[in-house]
Amino acid sequence: PLHEIIDLAYLDGSVANLQKVSSQTQSWVVAGSKGSSYTVTKEGNKYSCNCPGFTFRKHCKHVDSVKS
């Protein structure tokens, strides 16, 4: 698999690391609002996040920030 790390800076100053594991899988580490970090993963067209909100609602602001 291809491994590549790219730092992304957002307008609010937060930084996410994009790790391209394969052509179909990507992962970002996104800073949470209370100091925690969460991993957003995109497999094909499906996004997921390991934060508690995504676990319960299957949607969260961390995924939204990666999509935008």
Side-chain angles (χ1 to χ4, degrees):
L2 173 67
H3 294 281
E4 180 181 348
I5 297 177
I6 302 169
D7 287 333
L8 300 173
Y10 293 107
L11 293 175
D12 67 0
S14 63
V15 175
N17 295 316
L18 167 65
Q19 183 176 12
K20 191 170 186 177
V21 179
S22 72
S23 61
Q24 293 297 314
T25 304
Q26 296 174 318
S27 296
W28 295 261
V29 177
V30 180
S33 60
K34 296 181 181 168
S36 299
S37 294
Y38 300 106
T39 302
V40 175
T41 303
K42 178 184 178 192
E43 294 185 52
N45 291 323
K46 182 179 175 184
Y47 288 85
S48 63
C49 181
N50 67 341
C51 76
F54 190 88
T55 302
F56 293 107
R57 293 183 290 277
K58 303 300 181 208
H59 183 82
C60 68
K61 61 185 176 183
H62 310 110
V63 170
D64 290 341
S65 71
V66 167
K67 285 182 174 181
S68 59

